[in-house]
Amino acid sequence: MREYRLFNSILVITAFVLVGAVFSVAEADTEVNCLICHKHRGLSRIDEQGKFRLYYINNEMFESGPHRRNKCHDCHSDKDRFPHDPTVKVDCTQQCHIVEPSGQAKFSHKPIADTLSKSVHGKFDADGNPKKYQEDYPGCKDCHDQPLYRPVSVYKGETKDGVSKRSIGRCRSCHRTGYFAEDFYDHVTSRLRRGRFPMETINVCAKCHQNQEFLKRHELDDAVTTYKETFHGKLIALGSERTADCLDCHVVEGENTHLIESKLVPTSATNKANIGNTCRNSDCHVNASAELSSFQVHVTYERDKYPMQFYMLIFFKALMAIILYFFLALIFFELLRRLFPKFSFIKEKKTSDDTDFEPLSDDADK
Amino acid sequence: MVKLLKKLVFKLYVICLMLFTVWYGHFMYPLIFGFEGKEEAGESLKEIIRTGSEEETMFSRLIAEQTETSQTDLGYRVIDESYIEGRFHHIGFTLQHDNTNVCIRCHGSVPHDGSKETRSFLNQHAFYLACETCHSRPRAGAETWTFNWYDKVTGKITGNPRALVEIEEMFTHEHETEQYPTYGNYGVKIAPTQNDSGIRKLLHGEKEMALAERYIAEQELLEPDQKTAMKEVLHRKVSKDHPQCRECHNQEDRYLPFEKLGYPPTRLRELVNVPVVNMIQKYQKFHFPTLLESDEIEK
């Protein structure tokens, strides 16, 4: 059987070498050249659930992220024939061919999955029992699309977006083989800042934390809408990258971002005992007093849950409306009087001494 | 006279101020009282989705779903692309739908769902070929068709896409630019055209679209046999004898004149030597080689 497979493989490889000779070097990176088919932009179908499935792979995008050192088969290990069998979900915890340099072990995302399982997003509680609504708890793809590098360059004290050709040049003077220098540079400098622009992070969290049905099921407040009403939320909406987003407050400084814990857990970044330190972390309000963290960030104004906040909101809305519409009405009627200066509901009898009412018009000013 | 004119201008000015006051009150209302109306509309749609059978739910979900785009900010570059739910890989471009093709009006832009071996490849072709390019054939003795590109947005015949030449230039300077040639998203499609009183017109043009629109608008009022008859009329240019892969993807005598359509030499070489065509035509099932695969990869 093994010999038959070997013979078959040689035949197929020969066929591919002959017919695929025109393809570029970049496309030959994949072991069976998946891009022969998957480079076509419109390669697609509507699946049985009515979902649009696009099978196109943008190689340029693929080469712009840390997965570029992987081969297709590292993740899509079930794809061994054409037409493909029904797809098996990619298991991000499986080992790939890349050796992790610090421990010299084959790379896997399993440690991340283990961290996630200990967090509030894990599918099991502290006693190992499955939580309610299992399908609501996120897997890798619920939060992550294909990661892309966000490199930065530093030159003479100035930090800029993108790759520094000077730095790459310095690296390549020693590390000349392949794309080692570029890979290393992209990877390390992308880690010097967040992997995503803050608004993208918020949109990821919003998939669940702004979904009203999800919030009802888990008895949660609408954390995203309420966040967007804060100063932080508004600054990020205006394009700031230096303002706190969800992860800055919900992850303990220096911890893995996958370890988000409930505020009831003593080690959580948002636990009452720790929230002050979270605000005072080295990148934010370093000298802030404890009062800074005493305000309620995610206020939803539900009457049953937060009656005080609800009635306060009603009061301020009413106050604002009364003041605004009172003065608007005043201005409106004042203008109306200027339009019809002699108008009156009360008709008075004219006497010979009566003079006409002097109108408040520009003529009158003269 | 001047006094009267001044008075008139003043009155107009006051009226404008009054209108502004009313508008300002209206503008401020949602800012004070929130946007509850919109949230309620969203909720009612969810209610419809929640209450139906599986098919009804699926149908409602599909109607509710809108074409979304997403943005990825890399700092040095912002990627705008179509958002496709559940997709991991970035596609790096925005899908541009053809809203001008008459067939797509009913059959949609991803119409092929037959054979598992070919359906995705055929849908891929629908990305840059109008349906009638393959599903219609010139009648015997009739004037031969010319193939031209047309704009997906305006439906007008255009020249050959400049992007094809730019991709060729990218090949030439491949090692300098380190860019990857990606084909197919030119915003235009190939369609057969005919000479109509000295003007080149699409085989399925405005007239055919008007007929289809009229049928869609009036179909509820039609008797079943009338519907069949009208469908027959609408499909009278459709031929069952559609071209096979080899009729275009061969070295000579091609159904589609790739050179005239502006395909440059490198792309032309690819189009006439398509390994996928060989694969589809020669093998019922094609096993990928596992010779070089490491046995050490563990789950």
Side-chain angles (χ1 to χ4, degrees), chain A residues 244-288:
Chain A
D245 60 36
C246 313
L247 296 179
D248 290 304
C249 301
H250 287 275
V251 178
V252 175
E253 189 182 10
E255 257 303 345
N256 188 308
T257 48
H258 295 86
L259 191 64
I260 293 172
E261 292 173 305
S262 158
K263 64 179 176 187
L264 304 173
V265 175
T267 51
S268 164
T270 49
N271 184 280
K272 258 190 178 171
N274 308 326
I275 187 81
N277 290 335
T278 303
C279 297
R280 277 192 295 271
N281 82 71
S282 59
D283 293 313
C284 298
H285 308 281
V286 184
N287 299 318

Side-chain angles (χ1 to χ4, degrees), chain B residues 182-236:
Chain B
T182 43
Y183 296 102
N185 197 39
Y186 317 124
V188 286
K189 275 168 117 174
I190 297 168
T193 60
Q194 281 178 315
N195 193 348
D196 184 0
S197 315
I199 302 166
R200 191 137 291 283
K201 284 190 174 171
L202 291 169
L203 182 72
H204 285 181
E206 286 168 8
K207 273 185 199 168
E208 286 73 15
M209 183 58 107
L211 287 177
E213 292 291 358
R214 199 170 154 198
Y215 171 74
I216 291 165
E218 293 182 15
Q219 60 177 323
E220 279 179 22
L221 306 170
L222 297 172
E223 296 294 330
D225 54 336
Q226 276 181 298
K227 280 188 187 177
T228 314
M230 285 182 81
K231 278 186 188 171
E232 202 61 43
V233 173
L234 284 170
H235 291 102
R236 70 190 186 283

Side-chain angles (χ1 to χ4, degrees), chain B residues 8-24:
Chain B
L8 196 69
V9 170
F10 176 75
K11 300 271 182 197
L12 278 174
Y13 174 65
V14 171
I15 289 169
C16 286
L17 281 177
M18 285 170 76
L19 288 174
F20 176 77
T21 313
V22 173
W23 172 82
Y24 190 72

Side-chain angles (χ1 to χ4, degrees), chain A residues 74 93-97 105-108, chain B residues 296-299:
Chain A
D74 283 349
T93 61
Q94 73 184 29
Q95 289 182 326
C96 65
H97 79 280
K106 281 187 180 293
F107 191 86
S108 159
Chain B
E296 289 172 22
I297 292 177
E298 295 163 29
K299 288 270 173 186

Side-chain angles (χ1 to χ4, degrees), chain A residues 5-6 26 41 44 51 54 56 58 73 80-82 84 141 146 150 200 213 317 325 339 366, chain B residues 6 11 25 32 50 73 85-88 90-91 116 123 180 182 185 286 288 290-291 293:
Chain A
R5 279 176 72 188
L6 185 72
R41 289 192 186 220
S44 58
K51 286 263 174 201
L54 183 67
Y56 165 68
N58 185 327
H73 211 235
D80 62 349
R81 70 194 68 179
F82 174 83
H84 303 317
K141 265 178 67 179
Q146 181 204 337
R150 302 182 75 222
E200 290 162 30
E213 286 183 42
K317 277 189 174 184
Y325 288 109
L339 207 59
K366 290 172 189 175
Chain B
K6 266 189 171 180
K11 300 271 182 197
I32 298 171
R50 267 199 297 268
D73 190 336
E85 197 191 333
R87 192 181 156 89
F88 178 74
H90 289 275
I91 61 170
K116 192 178 177 185
N123 287 328
Y180 294 90
T182 43
N185 197 39
F286 187 94
F288 297 144
T290 51
L291 174 70
E293 204 176 283

Side-chain angles (χ1 to χ4, degrees), chain B residues 58-71:
Chain B
M58 197 190 292
F59 207 73
S60 305
R61 176 175 55 76
L62 291 170
I63 289 172
E65 276 177 0
Q66 291 174 343
T67 310
E68 288 180 53
T69 53
S70 73
Q71 213 176 52

